[in-house]
Amino acid sequence: MKLNYKFSNLLGCVYRKGNLVFSSDGEKLLSPVGNRVTVYDLKNSRSNTLQAESTLNITSMALSPNGNLLIAVNEEGVAILVNISNGAILYRYEFHSPIECIKFSPDGRKFAVTKGNSVLVYNTPGQTAEINPFIVDKRFLGMHDVTLSIDWTSDSRVLCVGSKDMNAYVIATQRFENLLFKPLGGHKDAVVANFFQRDSLDLITISELGELCVWESDTDLIDLVPEGSVIAEDSERSSDEESETEGQSSKRHKAEKRLDGKKLKKDYRDYVYFTRTNKFSLKEGNGRVTAADFNKTTNILVTGFETGIFLIHEMPHFVAISSLRISEQSITALTMNPSGDWIAIGSSGLGQLAVIDWMSMSFILKQQGHFNNMQCLAYSPDGRLIATGGDDCKVKLWDVTDSFCFYTFTEHTAPVTGIVFNNKSKAVLSSSLDGTVQAFDVIKYRNFRTFTAPAKRSTQFSCLAIDPSGDMVTAGAKDNFEIYLWYMKTGQLINILGGHEGPVSQLTFTASHSILASASWDHTVRLWDVLSKEGKVAREVIQMSSDALAVTYRPDGRELAVATLDGQITVWDVHSATLTHTIEGRHDLGYTRRENDKISAKKASESKSFRTLCYTADGSCLLAGGQSKNICIYSVADQILLKKFEITCNLSLDGISEFLDRRKMTEWGNLAAIDDGQGDRSHGISLPGVKKPDFSSRQFKPEVRVSCVQFSPTGMSWAATTTEGLMVYTIASNVVFDPFDFAADITPASIRQTLAETNYRDALLKAFRLNEKSLITEVIEQIPVNESYISQNLPEVYVDKILGFVAWQIEQSVHLQFYTLWAKKMLEAQATSLKTRPASIPVINALQKGLSRMECIEGVYEYVTGMLDFMKNVSKSPASTDRVVEDMELTVE
């Protein structure tokens, strides 16, 4: 089994905190999700999370105008320089202080950073041949409090900075005779946003209280005089005045009138003067301003408030266009695309992200993750969908292809504890602590069935399972320790299984028979034959050494793996109920400690254990996760750890570090135990009934853990619900050279020579031995499909490889009919061998996933999918009799 799985995407968390950034073409949106960055392709409706990972949550970002470089800064001021094309980190740099705002200049040659009460201007990395790409070009002081916002003029020579000292500062990044440093007052609170108008020094400043000031400059950008330039004589100036435009002349006369009679060391025309022409109040927001953005092309100003309202105005005359509300939570981030048509809005309170076309008042993108921990997940049998349930009482459906949540079910009133698809992927079921099991139609997006316990036995359900036929639904109780069985079609309660003396932690069915396994805190795992007359009595009772926390069957149903509270994973033979393998996994979880722990990391690891188990698609390995940042893959036969995946290095979560931070240790105790401020509002705990502002809110640090892991039916990926969100790992597809059964005489030239000699079988096998996808595609597309002898005379080891390649091409290639015919010929020729090999199930599932998108090709679809169902059922049952596969006509519409 290949273990080169790599992190590919983060679902379930669309926005955490920080600013949003559009690409220069406006087609992509970058959103910070914890210590990573997700890129949303709005044109193609796809999302992808970059591989780059910071050590803390990202709070500010800036994208270079050419779209190649991203600078992301975390909570402690550590910046990472990221190559957008491949997500690689090019450099790490420490600002040694939190950064409120970072912004590239329009020409892309510099970027400015607010640090404390100063502003730093850096050369863009790559501009100079230096080992350290972060070279400070200018440092500006003079602000009396923390600086909050930055904006550049269109020519990248002047910037404006907003500060908590209630002033805005116009600063020249180059030395000019008539401009260097100009403070602008007039506000009663911190200046949270400031914007220059297009090709002008005129600007807009906005305070946190909602005061908006419009400032007009008496000098144009082209009139800024670089230092050292020769100042023209009066005669020359008079000749220039004759050529002035009407607007420039009016600005000059205004300056003359204001400064008339004043004695200046230099000529007054050498100084830039700003006048506040208007002052407006943003009262419609009913709260404090939290975010704002201004589009210089369309002169559209958007302001967001803590009440969830955002206002749209046309400047500079402050013409109200619209007032909208997307949430009851505070708007944390707000930005417009370069054309000014779309507005991206982020709210960290509930983890919401929306992109709105404000002209048509329609949503381009509307996503919200689970705003509490995710507890469970399930892949659909065809591998196209993922369903997740969380503590926010919601069930969400995610499309694996585009990584978007396309529907949310909200029928539950308590945390969701279990989730599962039926065998046809047309329904998803979920259990909850509200005492119900809900069945949702994935096609019509409605709740069509609710399963409950009898009124006298009302309980909370802690786990859920459905039998392979999809006819029976079972749920385990948390308080009365019983297992309930219902009939799927009618919702009628069939049976109540008793015998456990502790809460039921997990249920699972075998893939071929209706043998139910239940794990409980009473140190037992019980096997139930639910279809027999003695179904109320456990067929087998397997005694564990500690509380059983997770249980799972091998795909062929012959083996059972159990995770217990003492950190062990035990593997049992189902038919004889004997122990076959034992894996000691406690030390593999890693030594970590929480900030408030009074014991060492090694001692704390004794209380950790695996809470979720899953077999790989071929049944040879186990995937395990629990109270740790590590997910482990074990070889069952060898009882060894094959690979360990570290899901995050985010120090904003608790339980990441092995040692305490000595900088937080004082003679009075650990500073981590002190709540020194309002903290992150998204993690605030408010008292019941308290209205905003909640002065009693406390902050907390979520602890990293893995609540559920699940392998895709195709075996090409697996997913885990973690504190960070739903993390998806896929097999790395960027392997340049990965040959199989390689020999020195196998080269591209020899393969093409064999193909030219019409020796199709040998050419195909050599291409798969070299294992280059482009070469395999070249060979297979030159082989006539009617050459049936090729598919009939293949070594067994190549059958799965060819079927897997055909399944991949069905999803990627435009030659749908060609590869579908290949699938048909291969299944006809290899039916007997496929049904006796359970390891072929992942390949069959991959074919089903690809063919499920081609329902328009009716004849091929019905024939091949029917045969795949037959192969899957036969391969799961070793005692099945042989069946003859009949030929069918191929019809394509």
Side-chain angles (χ1 to χ4, degrees):
M1 176 186 174
K2 291 187 177 181
L3 299 176
N4 57 329
Y5 290 94
K6 292 181 113 179
F7 172 80
S8 64
N9 215 342
L10 177 64
L11 287 67
C13 179
V14 296
Y15 173 75
R16 186 67 58 84
K17 63 190 298 187
N19 63 311
L20 302 170
V21 179
F22 269 107
S23 61
S24 56
D25 58 5
E27 296 180 353
K28 294 182 180 179
L29 176 68
L30 279 69
S31 172
V33 285
N35 64 335
R36 299 179 185 267
V37 177
T38 297
V39 181
Y40 294 93
D41 190 340
L42 303 177
K43 181 179 179 180
N44 300 315
S45 297
R46 291 179 180 272
S47 69
N48 178 50
T49 304
L50 300 180
Q51 296 284 342
E53 188 176 7
S54 180
T55 54
L56 290 166
N57 286 335
I58 294 172
T59 57
S60 55
M61 300 186 305
L63 183 66
S64 61
N66 60 11
N68 294 332
L69 297 178
L70 171 71
I71 300 178
V73 188
N74 64 24
E75 295 169 335
E76 291 188 352
V78 179
I80 55 175
L81 179 64
V82 182
N83 185 350
I84 288 293
S85 60
N86 57 15
I89 297 179
L90 304 178
Y91 194 76
R92 293 182 185 269
Y93 182 79
E94 292 190 15
F95 289 106
H96 301 288
S97 178
I99 301 300
E100 295 290 339
C101 182
I102 180 171
K103 195 167 188 179
F104 276 93
S105 61
D107 61 6
R109 301 181 64 182
K110 299 181 184 297
F111 66 90
V113 175
T114 61
K115 178 182 177 182
N117 63 342
S118 64
V119 177
L120 305 178
V121 178
Y122 289 79
N123 293 322
T124 299
Q127 299 291 328
T128 58
E130 300 284 347
I131 296 177
N132 177 12
F134 286 76
I135 303 299
V136 179
D137 182 59
K138 297 284 191 306
R139 185 189 303 270
F140 299 100
L141 304 174
M143 284 65 75
H144 303 288
D145 207 336
V146 177
T147 50
L148 301 175
S149 57
I150 294 177
D151 192 44
W152 290 84
T153 54
S154 302
D155 62 356
S156 306
R157 296 192 297 170
V158 181
L159 57 84
C160 183
V161 180
S163 175
K164 280 188 177 181
D165 63 5
M166 300 179 288
N167 293 324
Y169 298 88
V170 179
I171 305 172
T173 60
Q174 302 177 15
R175 291 185 179 273
F176 296 108
E177 293 286 351
N178 50 351
L179 178 63
L180 179 60
F181 187 90
K182 187 71 175 179
L184 304 176
H187 288 288
K188 298 178 181 178
D189 206 341
V191 178
V192 295
N194 44 267
F195 309 101
F196 282 108
Q197 297 188 33
R198 185 177 184 180
D199 299 327
S200 173
L201 283 173
D202 299 343
L203 71 151
I204 302 165
T205 58
I206 304 172
S207 72
E208 192 173 1
L209 287 178
E211 299 169 321
L212 187 148
C213 295
V214 180
W215 302 85
E216 183 179 340
S217 169
D218 64 345
T219 306
D220 290 328
L221 285 173
I222 59 175
D223 294 331
L224 295 176
V225 182
E227 187 181 41
S229 299
V230 179
I231 301 177
E233 300 295 335
D234 291 340
S235 60
E236 296 178 355
R237 288 179 177 173
S238 61
S239 63
D240 292 338
E241 290 172 3
E242 294 176 359
S243 61
E244 285 180 347
T245 62
E246 182 180 350
Q248 293 172 335
S249 179
S250 62
K251 286 188 176 182
R252 183 177 56 81
H253 288 302
K254 286 180 182 179
E256 291 176 355
K257 185 176 180 181
R258 283 192 302 268
L259 300 175
D260 187 26
K262 294 185 178 180
K263 295 182 180 180
L264 298 174
K265 295 181 180 179
K266 288 187 178 181
D267 192 280
Y268 65 86
R269 283 171 289 189
D270 293 336
Y271 294 92
V272 177
Y273 196 90
F274 290 89
T275 305
R276 190 178 68 188
T277 58
N278 281 303
K279 186 175 183 179
F280 304 102
S281 178
L282 300 167
K283 296 181 180 179
E284 298 89 342
N286 298 324
R288 291 182 173 270
V289 178
T290 55
D293 195 25
F294 177 69
N295 186 274
K296 299 178 182 181
T297 304
T298 59
N299 287 330
I300 298 298
L301 175 69
V302 185
T303 50
F305 297 83
E306 62 181 358
T307 56
I309 297 174
F310 68 96
L311 308 177
I312 305 175
H313 291 86
E314 184 178 2
M315 300 304 292
H317 302 295
F318 199 68
V319 179
I321 297 177
S322 182
S323 174
L324 301 171
R325 182 197 294 269
I326 65 165
S327 172
E328 295 292 335
Q329 300 292 321
S330 173
I331 294 177
T332 312
L334 189 149
T335 187
M336 299 183 72
N337 68 335
S339 63
D341 299 329
W342 296 347
I343 303 173
I345 301 172
S347 175
S348 62
L350 297 178
Q352 297 169 315
L353 179 65
V355 178
I356 301 173
D357 188 335
W358 64 270
M359 293 184 180
S360 61
M361 297 300 174
S362 60
F363 283 100
I364 306 299
L365 172 69
K366 186 179 180 182
Q367 291 286 297
Q368 178 180 343
H370 292 276
F371 58 86
N372 277 338
N373 290 333
M374 303 171 68
Q375 293 296 335
C376 50
L377 76 97
Y379 270 98
S380 60
D382 57 10
R384 295 176 55 194
L385 305 178
I386 296 178
T388 58
D391 288 343
D392 57 357
C393 317
K394 295 179 181 179
V395 173
K396 291 181 176 288
L397 298 178
W398 306 83
D399 192 318
V400 174
T401 305
D402 57 26
S403 305
F404 282 121
C405 173
F406 62 90
Y407 202 81
T408 301
F409 298 103
T410 58
E411 277 73 11
H412 285 297
T413 58
V416 179
T417 56
I419 198 164
V420 66
F421 278 92
N422 72 340
N423 58 342
K424 297 182 179 180
S425 302
K426 294 183 178 180
V428 61
L429 292 87
S430 60
S431 61
S432 172
L433 295 181
D434 61 6
T436 65
V437 174
Q438 305 282 354
F440 304 102
D441 191 333
V442 178
I443 307 300
K444 299 180 179 179
Y445 306 122
R446 63 183 181 90
N447 173 237
F448 67 91
R449 191 89 69 234
T450 300
F451 306 92
T452 59
K456 295 182 179 180
R457 294 190 174 188
S458 58
T459 183
Q460 294 179 319
F461 294 126
S462 58
C463 51
L464 177 69
I466 186 170
D467 77 322
S469 65
D471 294 332
M472 285 187 297
V473 180
T474 63
K478 190 175 183 179
D479 41 12
N480 59 14
F481 318 145
E482 295 176 331
I483 301 172
Y484 297 84
L485 279 79
W486 297 274
Y487 188 53
M488 181 69 178
K489 294 183 179 179
T490 64
Q492 180 182 0
L493 182 65
I494 301 175
N495 207 345
I496 300 176
L497 307 180
H500 281 297
E501 300 176 356
V504 181
S505 55
Q506 193 167 357
L507 300 172
T508 183
F509 274 100
T510 57
S512 56
H513 304 89
S514 295
I515 303 298
L516 175 67
S518 61
S520 174
W521 293 6
D522 61 0
H523 298 205
T524 63
V525 171
R526 296 174 182 261
L527 304 182
W528 314 78
D529 189 352
V530 296
L531 296 180
S532 67
K533 295 181 180 180
E534 293 82 15
K536 289 188 177 183
V537 181
R539 192 181 75 175
E540 293 285 352
V541 178
I542 303 175
Q543 196 68 32
M544 297 289 127
S545 59
S546 184
D547 297 1
L549 304 178
V551 61
T552 184
Y553 276 107
R554 199 171 66 181
D556 60 2
R558 299 177 181 177
E559 212 172 68
L560 185 74
V562 184
T564 54
L565 189 61
D566 56 6
Q568 288 186 347
I569 300 175
T570 53
V571 181
W572 302 78
D573 184 273
V574 173
H575 299 292
S576 61
T578 57
L579 179 66
T580 58
H581 303 94
T582 300
I583 299 173
E584 181 60 51
R586 172 165 289 171
H587 299 292
D588 299 328
L589 287 167
Y591 298 132
T592 58
R593 60 181 298 172
R594 296 186 294 268
E595 286 189 342
N596 295 323
D597 280 349
K598 306 297 183 183
I599 57 178
S600 65
K602 186 175 182 180
K603 191 69 175 178
S605 67
E606 297 180 4
S607 63
K608 295 180 180 180
S609 57
F610 292 113
R611 300 300 178 98
T612 175
L613 290 176
C614 178
Y615 270 98
T616 56
D618 58 2
S620 62
C621 300
L622 269 173
L623 191 66
Q627 298 171 295
S628 171
K629 62 180 179 180
N630 298 319
I631 297 177
C632 305
I633 291 185
Y634 292 97
S635 170
V636 177
D638 300 326
Q639 306 177 47
I640 59 173
L641 176 69
L642 297 180
K643 194 167 184 179
K644 186 188 296 186
F645 298 91
E646 184 175 319
I647 60 174
T648 183
C649 63
N650 189 1
L651 296 177
S652 297
L653 303 177
D654 210 357
I656 294 291
S657 302
E658 181 178 354
F659 303 102
L660 290 178
D661 189 349
R662 294 184 180 275
R663 293 173 296 179
K664 295 183 179 181
M665 301 303 297
T666 66
E667 57 181 318
W668 297 282
N670 189 358
L671 294 179
I674 302 174
D675 188 356
D676 55 354
Q678 187 177 3
D680 187 358
R681 294 185 181 182
S682 64
H683 291 157
I685 309 173
S686 58
L687 294 176
V690 177
K691 297 182 179 179
K692 296 179 181 178
D694 184 3
F695 297 106
S696 66
S697 64
R698 290 88 66 205
Q699 64 179 9
F700 74 99
K701 206 170 181 180
E703 183 180 357
V704 62
R705 62 179 57 204
V706 179
S707 55
C708 184
V709 293
Q710 190 77 37
F711 244 95
S712 168
T714 63
M716 300 299 293
S717 64
W718 54 270
T721 54
T722 68
T723 311
E724 291 276 53
L726 176 62
M727 309 190 77
V728 180
Y729 287 76
T730 58
I731 290 181
S733 59
N734 57 351
V735 178
V736 178
F737 186 62
D738 183 20
F740 167 75
D741 194 17
F742 185 63
D745 60 340
I746 299 179
T747 62
S750 66
I751 294 173
R752 292 187 178 96
Q753 178 64 28
T754 307
L755 184 64
E757 296 171 357
T758 65
N759 191 352
Y760 298 127
R761 179 182 176 276
D762 291 346
L764 183 63
L765 296 184
K766 287 182 179 180
F768 273 95
R769 290 174 68 182
L770 195 59
N771 201 16
E772 289 187 4
K773 286 186 177 180
S774 59
L775 186 60
I776 296 174
T777 304
E778 178 185 343
V779 171
I780 201 171
E781 290 183 358
Q782 295 187 45
I783 299 177
V785 181
N786 55 8
E787 299 286 348
S788 59
Y789 77 93
I790 298 177
S791 56
Q792 294 173 357
N793 298 281
L794 287 173
E796 187 175 292
V797 70
Y798 289 94
V799 173
D800 291 344
K801 291 182 177 294
I802 295 176
L803 281 175
F805 181 81
V806 169
W808 178 77
Q809 285 286 13
I810 287 175
E811 294 191 49
Q812 304 292 331
S813 176
V814 295
H815 306 298
L816 300 180
Q817 182 184 9
F818 177 80
Y819 284 105
T820 307
L821 289 171
W822 259 97
K824 177 176 181 291
K825 293 292 184 181
M826 287 292 297
L827 291 174
E828 287 176 348
Q830 301 294 332
T832 304
S833 62
L834 284 173
K835 68 183 181 181
T836 58
R837 295 204 314 271
S840 301
I841 294 178
V843 177
I844 296 174
N845 287 330
L847 274 174
Q848 277 187 319
K849 179 183 177 182
L851 291 171
S852 61
R853 302 181 184 180
M854 301 168 53
E855 298 184 8
C856 57
I857 309 177
E858 294 181 356
V860 180
Y861 173 80
E862 294 176 359
Y863 174 80
V864 179
T865 52
M867 182 171 288
L868 289 172
D869 288 334
F870 164 73
M871 292 296 172
K872 188 185 295 184
N873 294 331
V874 171
S875 61
K876 291 174 182 176
S877 178
S880 299
T881 58
D882 292 348
R883 295 176 60 180
V884 179
V885 181
E886 300 178 355
D887 274 338
M888 296 182 65
E889 294 289 335
L890 177 65
T891 58
V892 180
E893 295 184 1

